[in-house]
Amino acid sequence: MNSASREALAAARERLDALTDSTSVDASKLADELAAVTALLQREVSLRRVLTDPSQSGEAKAELAARLLGGQVGGEAVDLVSGMVRSRWSQSRDLVDSVEELANTADLTAAQRSGALDDVEDELFRFGRIVSSDTELRSALTSRTATTAAKGELLRSLLGGRSRPVTERLVTRLVTQPRGRSLEAGLESLSKLAADRRDRTVAIVTSAVPLNDLQKQRLGAALAKIYGRQMHLNLDVDPAVLGGISVRVGDEVINGTIADRLDEATRRMAG
């Protein structure tokens, strides 16, 4: 996003946080309503262009949004979207992306309130690992010929009763409304949003054997000291690393595996 859209999104995040700070607001319901607005804006290209047209006054665009959405979604969702269209957006797609982010954040806020946020983070990570290792499943979930209903039913069979309802809702929205993104990119984005709810960074840790609780605590403390913020550890076991651990934080990789050292020794010998 360019600067105008970044500023508009930052303001929208603040309004959402202020709204969901009130326990009287049903964050899950708000998430569903914002997801419905996302689908509408994705489908109606001309509408989102009108709502982000810089030649129109912010108040006129807010009135249009309120008129269209009033009676379709609750007052909180109407107020949020009306506030967003008052802002200036660099391109119309940024508005859709941002409404979708608010929908996901509202669902994660509901998980945080119920004490389920850690479980949701872990379930999103594990689901991503399952998809990446099962090409047939990935093809079924990303097929352009499969119906939305068929994908939803497949996800219910995979996640229903085995994961938190919030996780199932987030993944179902991502799979049924991919909006041009890869499944992997969408899951990673959801994991980052989940981590941000606690102002934490996600560290993907790969080890040859599962880490015990003490090792996880020490690793988390060491990474928090390095990066200056709390870390959420997504743990993956891969016997191919032979020993040690590999840690990925964003685009940065800290590799201390035996396999990596052997590769480095081989390169030096070849040189």
Side-chain angles (χ1 to χ4, degrees):
M1 290 186 181
N2 291 331
S3 59
S5 291
R6 287 198 301 270
E7 291 174 6
L9 175 56
R13 286 169 176 160
E14 289 182 3
R15 287 194 292 270
L16 176 66
D17 286 342
L19 187 62
T20 53
D21 278 346
S22 169
T23 55
S24 65
V25 174
D26 186 335
S28 294
K29 179 183 177 184
L30 179 59
D32 285 340
E33 292 175 341
L34 290 172
V37 175
T38 302
L40 172 66
L41 294 176
Q42 176 69 17
R43 186 171 63 250
E44 302 294 339
V45 179
S46 59
L47 173 60
R48 71 173 185 251
R49 286 177 177 166
V50 169
L51 292 176
T52 56
D53 184 354
S55 68
Q56 301 296 318
S57 73
E59 195 56 39
K61 290 183 286 188
E63 289 176 0
L64 173 60
R67 199 161 58 244
L68 291 173
L69 299 178
Q72 306 300 313
V73 296
E76 293 89 356
V78 171
D79 290 344
L80 277 171
V81 177
S82 297
M84 294 175 78
V85 300
R86 285 190 180 93
S87 299
R88 185 179 182 87
W89 296 90
S90 305
Q91 51 185 346
S92 62
R93 181 183 175 85
D94 292 345
L95 173 62
V96 193
D97 291 343
S98 298
V99 176
E100 181 182 54
E101 180 185 309
L102 295 193
N104 292 334
T105 300
D107 250 339
L108 292 167
T109 299
Q112 188 174 28
R113 283 181 182 174
S114 64
L117 186 56
D118 282 345
D119 287 344
V120 172
E121 288 179 284
D122 291 337
E123 289 164 359
L124 288 170
F125 175 72
R126 288 201 302 271
F127 182 75
R129 282 293 183 262
I130 291 170
V131 169
S132 65
S133 64
D134 190 331
T135 55
E136 186 175 346
L137 174 60
R138 186 186 186 282
S139 296
L141 292 174
T142 59
S143 171
R144 293 185 178 181
T145 58
T147 65
T148 295
K151 292 179 180 178
E153 184 59 35
L154 175 56
L155 287 171
R156 278 190 291 275
S157 70
L158 292 170
L159 300 175
R162 299 180 179 88
S163 66
R164 295 280 184 168
V166 171
T167 305
E168 186 176 348
R169 287 198 301 271
L170 289 167
V171 173
T172 298
R173 283 205 296 265
L174 173 62
V175 169
T176 57
Q177 302 175 39
R179 303 186 48 244
R181 296 160 303 190
S182 72
L183 182 53
E184 293 80 3
L187 288 169
E188 184 172 355
S189 177
L190 287 173
S191 293
K192 289 180 179 178
L193 277 180
D196 286 345
R197 291 311 304 161
R198 295 184 187 275
D199 194 30
R200 296 183 301 180
T201 298
V202 173
I204 298 177
V205 180
T206 305
S207 58
V209 296
L211 302 182
N212 60 41
D213 289 341
L214 180 58
Q215 289 171 323
K216 287 185 280 189
Q217 290 173 9
R218 287 177 174 173
L219 178 59
L223 291 172
K225 186 174 182 180
I226 292 172
Y227 290 95
R229 62 189 301 187
Q230 291 297 109
M231 307 293 289
H232 176 75
L233 305 184
N234 278 339
L235 305 173
D236 194 21
V237 175
D238 182 1
V241 304
L242 300 181
I245 60 172
S246 174
V247 180
R248 180 165 68 86
V249 180
D251 295 328
E252 184 176 359
V253 176
I254 305 171
N255 206 327
T257 67
I258 293 175
D260 183 65
R261 294 169 190 167
L262 289 174
D263 286 343
E264 183 179 354
T266 301
R267 287 195 297 269
R268 288 180 178 177
M269 290 174 65

